[in-house]
Coordinates of all heavy atoms in Angstrom, one line a residue:
E119 N 57.2 -33.6 12.6 CA 58.0 -34.6 12.0 C 58.8 -34.2 10.7 O 60.0 -34.4 10.6 CB 57.2 -35.8 11.6 CG 58.0 -37.0 11.2 CD 57.1 -38.2 10.9 OE1 56.1 -38.4 11.5 OE2 57.5 -39.0 10.0
L120 N 58.2 -33.5 9.8 CA 58.8 -33.0 8.6 C 60.0 -32.1 8.9 O 61.1 -32.2 8.3 CB 57.8 -32.4 7.6 CG 58.3 -32.1 6.2 CD1 58.8 -33.4 5.5 CD2 57.2 -31.5 5.4
K150 N 44.3 -21.1 0.0 CA 44.8 -20.8 -1.3 C 44.7 -19.3 -1.6 O 43.6 -18.7 -1.4 CB 44.1 -21.7 -2.3 CG 44.6 -21.5 -3.7 CD 43.8 -22.4 -4.6 CE 44.2 -22.3 -6.1 NZ 43.5 -23.3 -7.0
G158 N 56.4 -4.6 0.0 CA 56.3 -3.4 0.7 C 56.3 -3.5 2.2 O 56.7 -2.6 2.9
S174 N 57.1 -17.3 -3.9 CA 57.5 -15.9 -3.7 C 57.6 -15.4 -5.1 O 58.1 -16.0 -6.1 CB 58.9 -15.8 -3.0 OG 59.9 -16.4 -3.7
K179 N 56.9 -3.3 -13.3 CA 56.1 -2.1 -13.5 C 55.1 -2.3 -14.7 O 54.1 -1.5 -14.8 CB 57.0 -0.9 -13.9 CG 57.9 -1.0 -15.1 CD 58.8 0.1 -15.2 CE 59.8 -0.1 -16.4 NZ 60.8 0.9 -16.5
F188 N 59.4 -21.6 -5.4 CA 58.3 -22.4 -5.0 C 58.8 -23.1 -3.7 O 59.9 -23.5 -3.6 CB 57.9 -23.5 -6.0 CG 57.4 -22.9 -7.3 CD1 58.1 -23.0 -8.4 CD2 56.1 -22.4 -7.3 CE1 57.6 -22.5 -9.6 CE2 55.6 -21.9 -8.5 CZ 56.4 -21.9 -9.7
W193 N 60.2 -27.3 2.7 CA 61.1 -26.2 2.3 C 60.9 -25.0 3.1 O 59.8 -24.7 3.7 CB 60.8 -25.9 0.8 CG 61.2 -26.9 -0.2 CD1 60.9 -28.2 -0.1 CD2 61.8 -26.7 -1.4 NE1 61.4 -28.8 -1.3 CE2 62.0 -27.9 -2.1 CE3 62.3 -25.5 -2.0 CZ2 62.6 -28.0 -3.3 CZ3 62.9 -25.6 -3.3 CH2 63.1 -26.9 -3.9
I195 N 61.0 -20.7 3.2 CA 60.8 -19.5 2.3 C 60.8 -18.2 3.1 O 60.3 -18.2 4.2 CB 59.5 -19.7 1.5 CG1 59.4 -18.7 0.3 CG2 58.3 -19.7 2.4 CD1 58.3 -19.0 -0.7
L222 N 59.3 -18.5 12.3 CA 60.3 -18.0 13.3 C 60.6 -16.6 13.0 O 60.9 -16.2 11.9 CB 61.6 -18.8 13.2 CG 61.6 -20.3 13.6 CD1 62.9 -21.0 13.1 CD2 61.6 -20.3 15.2
E238 N 72.8 -23.0 13.8 CA 73.5 -22.1 12.9 C 74.1 -22.9 11.7 O 74.1 -22.4 10.6 CB 74.5 -21.3 13.7 CG 74.0 -20.2 14.5 CD 75.0 -19.3 15.0 OE1 75.7 -19.6 16.0 OE2 75.1 -18.2 14.4
R242 N 73.2 -22.5 7.8 CA 74.3 -22.2 6.9 C 74.3 -23.1 5.7 O 74.5 -22.7 4.6 CB 75.7 -22.3 7.6 CG 76.9 -22.0 6.7 CD 78.2 -22.3 7.3 NE 78.4 -23.6 7.9 CZ 78.7 -24.7 7.2 NH1 78.8 -24.7 5.9 NH2 78.9 -25.8 7.9
I243 N 74.1 -24.4 6.0 CA 74.0 -25.4 5.0 C 72.9 -25.1 4.0 O 73.0 -25.1 2.8 CB 73.8 -26.8 5.5 CG1 75.1 -27.3 6.3 CG2 73.4 -27.8 4.5 CD1 74.9 -28.5 7.1
L262 N 70.5 -20.8 -21.4 CA 69.7 -21.9 -22.0 C 68.5 -21.4 -22.7 O 68.0 -20.3 -22.4 CB 69.3 -22.8 -20.8 CG 70.4 -23.5 -20.0 CD1 69.8 -24.4 -19.0 CD2 71.3 -24.3 -20.9
R267 N 65.3 -24.7 -20.2 CA 65.0 -24.3 -18.8 C 63.8 -25.1 -18.3 O 63.8 -25.5 -17.1 CB 64.7 -22.8 -18.8 CG 65.9 -22.0 -19.0 CD 65.7 -20.5 -18.6 NE 64.6 -19.9 -19.2 CZ 64.6 -19.3 -20.4 NH1 65.7 -19.2 -21.2 NH2 63.5 -18.7 -20.8
I279 N 56.0 -30.4 -11.1 CA 55.6 -30.3 -12.4 C 54.2 -30.9 -12.6 O 53.4 -30.5 -13.4 CB 56.6 -31.0 -13.4 CG1 56.4 -30.5 -14.8 CG2 56.5 -32.5 -13.4 CD1 56.9 -29.1 -15.0
Q284 N 50.4 -24.4 -15.2 CA 51.4 -24.1 -16.3 C 51.9 -22.6 -16.2 O 53.0 -22.3 -16.4 CB 50.8 -24.4 -17.6 CG 51.4 -25.6 -18.2 CD 51.0 -25.8 -19.7 OE1 50.3 -25.0 -20.3 NE2 51.3 -27.0 -20.2
K285 N 50.9 -21.7 -15.9 CA 51.3 -20.3 -15.9 C 52.4 -20.0 -14.8 O 53.2 -19.1 -15.0 CB 50.1 -19.4 -15.7 CG 49.4 -19.5 -14.4 CD 48.2 -18.6 -14.3 CE 47.6 -18.7 -12.9 NZ 46.5 -17.8 -12.7
M301 N 55.3 -24.0 -27.0 CA 56.5 -24.8 -26.8 C 56.1 -26.2 -26.5 O 56.7 -27.2 -27.1 CB 57.4 -24.2 -25.7 CG 58.7 -24.9 -25.5 SD 59.6 -24.2 -24.2 CE 58.7 -24.7 -22.7
Q304 N 54.8 -28.5 -29.3 CA 55.7 -29.0 -30.3 C 56.5 -30.2 -29.7 O 56.8 -30.2 -28.5 CB 56.7 -27.9 -30.7 CG 55.9 -26.7 -31.3 CD 56.9 -25.6 -31.6 OE1 58.0 -25.6 -31.2 NE2 56.3 -24.5 -32.2

Side-chain angles (χ1 to χ4, degrees):
E119 185 177 333
L120 189 59
K150 182 178 180 176
S174 65
K179 62 184 174 188
F188 295 108
W193 289 46
I195 190 167
L222 287 168
E238 283 194 280
R242 179 187 53 79
I243 292 167
L262 299 180
R267 292 193 308 272
I279 202 73
Q284 255 188 5
K285 67 180 183 177
M301 180 182 74
Q304 298 171 356

